[in-house]
């Protein structure tokens, strides 16, 4: 059903980026980090499949030529392309418009600003002309106002801009605020962005929430990153890695994963095949691989044990990814898998609390289900090939046999690009037989709440309940 290979990024759209970082200003205050920031972001975007044009310490002519070429490249790439513009350096606002400052800027009269600087809106105009569906603008500017002594130029920071539909705008700080240049070779905003941008499957909205939290903590509340969005489709910089139809069977998938002994691949296998006969072995192997790679958690001295708060071990990328996967799934199985691998992990308290909440919710749903009248048609015997009378419009009138050969109505993983699941056969990923399907359906008998949860299923509402009724009737064909 999906089209990703273990460890590889397969992109559904062309990706084009223009990255500019200006540090070496001549007539205004020079900055330490923008050129470093541009190089760091360019490396990350290259790793993520972007075709990147990088400029550092550019004059006005070079900036305007690059922006014009950026627009031409986007138009040539077509409507499915994703465009990204990143700028680090001095930026100012005047009369509600934002301007990016080239390194050759020399301004004595505010009226000349639009003649000597580059208006940020010109980038938006180029993006709008391409009529592509996804555009991202990231401005790590407004470090200070180099013209605050000039009349009508005493506004701090940048003004909030209106962008065409399909655009995500991210600012290093809130409208009118001042961003810090940073003391570690990069700005706090770009440093956090570079850290989180490679997390597989992380939606862009959640990415910039993580950046906001990091920057607030780093600057002790002095700087609040800001974003606005008119996106109409999901976007993640690093697509979620998921097992694909190249693995013809669950057995061959497990063979590949067990031979690779890679923690991320094992986690993805458990996510794709939570009820596999290999799942117990996969969980055991995961703990072994984690122990081999990172060692056991550091021992805690008696003095530390008596302290009010015990220090958590350092968070690794593998642990963060595993917890993010659990949070995306938001299921008991996902959180329990994380806790088995990291019983004393940095997110263990959150995972434990969520497990308790999910267990309580399941009990509540079960009690309500038992107290309520039976669903319409619940007295009918459901067989593998009988027409279903309960569920949404996609489920009703079809048989279970029909559905397991059909296509999903909703993404099997939240945020997954449509190209990877829409109009694909679910049987490409799930090798269902009557026996394996019956085993799955019986889990809803053993745990009734699981069969009644109202959360959208890739086949639509009602299928789980029908599978439960089928199992209760002996999985008749």
């Amino acid at each position: 059903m999906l089209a990703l290979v273990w460890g590889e990024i397969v992109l559904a759209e062309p990706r084009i980026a223009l990255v500019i970082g200006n540090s070496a200003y001549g007539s205004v205050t020079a900055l330490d980090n923008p050129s470093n920031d541009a190089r760091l972001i360019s490396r990350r975007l290259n790793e993520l499949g972007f075709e990147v044009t990088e400029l550092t310490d550019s004059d006005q002519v070079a900036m305007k030529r690059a922006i014009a070429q950026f627009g031409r490249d986007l138009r040539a790439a077509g409507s499915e392309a994703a465009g990204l513009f990143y700028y680090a350096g001095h930026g100012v606002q005047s009369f509600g418009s934002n301007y990016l400052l080239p390194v050759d800027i020399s301004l004595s009269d505010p009226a000349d600003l639009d003649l000597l600087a580059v208006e940020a809106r010109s980038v938006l105009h180029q993006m709008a002309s391409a009529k592509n569906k996804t555009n991202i603008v990231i401005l790590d500017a407004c470090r200070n106002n180099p013209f605050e002594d000039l009349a009508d130029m005493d506004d701090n920071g940048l003004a909030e801009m209106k962008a065409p539909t399909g655009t995500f705008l991210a600012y290093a700080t809130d409208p009118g605020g001042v961003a810090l240049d940073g003391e570690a070779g990069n700005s706090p905003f770009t440093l956090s962005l570079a850290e989180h941008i490679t997390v597989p499957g992380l939606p862009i909205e959640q990415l910039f929430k993580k950046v906001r939290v990091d920057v607030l903590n780093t600057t002790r509340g002095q700087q609040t990153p800001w974003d606005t969005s008119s996106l109409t489709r999901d976007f993640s910089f690093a697509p979620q890695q998921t097992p694909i139809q190249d693995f013809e069977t669950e057995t061959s998938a497990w063979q590949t994963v067990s031979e690779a002994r890679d923690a991320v691949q094992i986690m993805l296998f458990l996510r794709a095949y939570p009820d596999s006969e290999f799942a117990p072995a996969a969980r055991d192997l995961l703990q072994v691989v984690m122990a081999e790679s990172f060692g056991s958690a550091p021992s805690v001295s008696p003095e530390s044990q008596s302290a009010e708060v015990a220090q958590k071990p350092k968070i690794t990328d593998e642990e963060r990814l595993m917890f993010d996967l659990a949070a995306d799934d938001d299921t008991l199985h996902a959180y329990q898998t994380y806790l088995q691998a990291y019983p004393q992990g940095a997110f263990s308290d959150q995972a434990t609390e969520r497990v308790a909440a999910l267990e309580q919710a399941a009990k509540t749903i079960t009690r309500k289900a038992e107290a309520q009248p039976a669903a319409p048609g619940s007295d009918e015997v459901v067989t593998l090939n009988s027409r279903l009378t309960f569920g949404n419009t996609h489920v009703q009138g079809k048989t279970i046999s029909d559905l397991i050969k059909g296509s999903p109505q909703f993404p099997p993983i939240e945020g997954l690009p449509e190209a990877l699941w829409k109009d694909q056969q679910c049987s490409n990923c799930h090798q269902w037989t009557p026996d394996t399907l019956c085993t799955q359906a019986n889990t809803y008998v053993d745990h009734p709440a699981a069969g009644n949860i109202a959360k959208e299923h890739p086949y639509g509402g009602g299928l789980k309940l029908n599978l439960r009724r089928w199992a209760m009737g002996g999985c008749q064909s």
Side-chain angles (χ1 to χ4, degrees), residues 150-373:
L150 296 179
D152 299 325
M153 289 292 298
D154 55 355
D155 288 332
N156 280 324
L158 298 180
E160 190 166 4
M161 297 186 294
K162 293 183 179 179
T165 300
T167 306
F168 189 95
L169 283 166
Y171 307 83
T173 191
D174 54 318
V178 175
L180 301 182
D181 193 34
E183 300 177 353
N186 294 101
S187 78
F189 175 79
T190 291
L191 202 58
S192 176
L193 175 60
E195 177 185 353
H196 295 298
I197 201 171
T198 57
V199 176
L202 185 64
I204 189 171
E205 296 83 0
Q206 293 184 26
L207 163 65
F208 280 95
K209 285 180 183 177
K210 290 179 180 291
V211 172
R212 185 177 302 120
V213 171
D214 284 352
V215 173
L216 280 167
N217 289 336
T218 301
T219 65
R220 297 182 180 181
Q222 296 180 59
Q223 180 178 333
T224 305
W226 204 261
D227 57 69
T228 59
S229 175
S230 61
L231 291 178
T232 58
R233 64 197 313 188
D234 296 330
F235 182 85
S236 298
F237 284 93
Q240 182 68 62
Q241 295 174 325
T242 309
I244 59 162
Q245 64 187 53
D246 285 1
F247 294 143
E248 296 180 357
T249 67
E250 185 179 308
T251 301
S252 61
W254 168 241
Q255 182 178 354
T256 301
V257 169
S258 59
E259 290 175 355
R261 295 178 66 83
D262 178 80
V264 174
Q265 292 190 23
I266 299 169
M267 286 185 277
L268 292 171
F269 175 85
L270 286 168
R271 183 171 184 174
Y273 304 105
D275 303 305
S276 168
E277 63 178 300
F278 305 110
R283 285 189 286 269
D284 291 342
L285 180 60
L286 180 60
Q287 294 190 52
V288 171
V289 170
M290 291 295 187
E292 290 175 349
S293 301
F294 310 105
S296 56
S299 59
V300 182
S301 67
E303 293 80 6
S304 298
Q305 288 178 332
S306 62
E308 182 176 350
V309 179
Q311 185 177 2
K312 295 285 188 182
K314 181 180 178 181
I315 305 173
T316 64
D317 291 342
E318 286 75 12
E319 181 185 356
R320 186 182 297 278
L321 172 59
M322 191 168 187
F323 182 77
D324 286 343
L325 289 173
D328 285 343
D329 270 354
D330 198 33
T331 62
L332 279 172
H333 172 76
Y335 286 114
Q336 287 167 346
T337 300
Y338 166 80
L339 288 170
Q340 287 174 345
Y342 296 97
Q344 302 298 326
F347 308 103
S348 59
D349 290 343
Q350 295 168 254
T352 301
E353 290 176 3
R354 191 61 188 142
V355 165
L358 289 170
E359 287 177 340
Q360 183 59 44
K363 291 177 183 177
T364 301
I365 293 171
T366 301
R367 288 196 299 269
K368 289 182 177 179
E370 291 172 348
Q372 290 177 352

Side-chain angles (χ1 to χ4, degrees), residues 83-111:
L84 184 145
F85 176 79
Y86 170 93
Y87 173 80
H90 276 306
V92 298
Q93 62 168 302
S94 178
F95 295 100
S97 294
N98 292 322
Y99 295 87
L100 312 178
L101 304 189
V103 294
D104 61 344
I105 187 79
S106 180
L107 185 71
S108 57
D109 191 329

Side-chain angles (χ1 to χ4, degrees), residues 17-73:
L18 172 60
V19 176
I20 300 176
N22 287 341
S23 292
Y25 288 92
S27 300
V28 300
T29 307
L31 298 170
D32 292 332
N33 295 327
S35 56
N36 295 336
D37 294 333
R39 284 188 283 269
L40 175 59
I41 292 300
S42 293
R43 288 198 301 272
R44 290 290 185 270
L45 293 176
N46 270 309
E47 293 167 1
L48 295 166
F50 280 85
E51 181 182 332
V52 180
T53 299
E54 178 189 330
L55 278 73
T56 55
D57 297 328
S58 302
D59 59 23
Q60 187 202 45
V61 172
M63 287 178 65
K64 287 191 171 182
R65 284 177 176 170
I67 291 169
Q69 184 61 51
F70 177 55
R72 287 192 287 271
D73 291 343

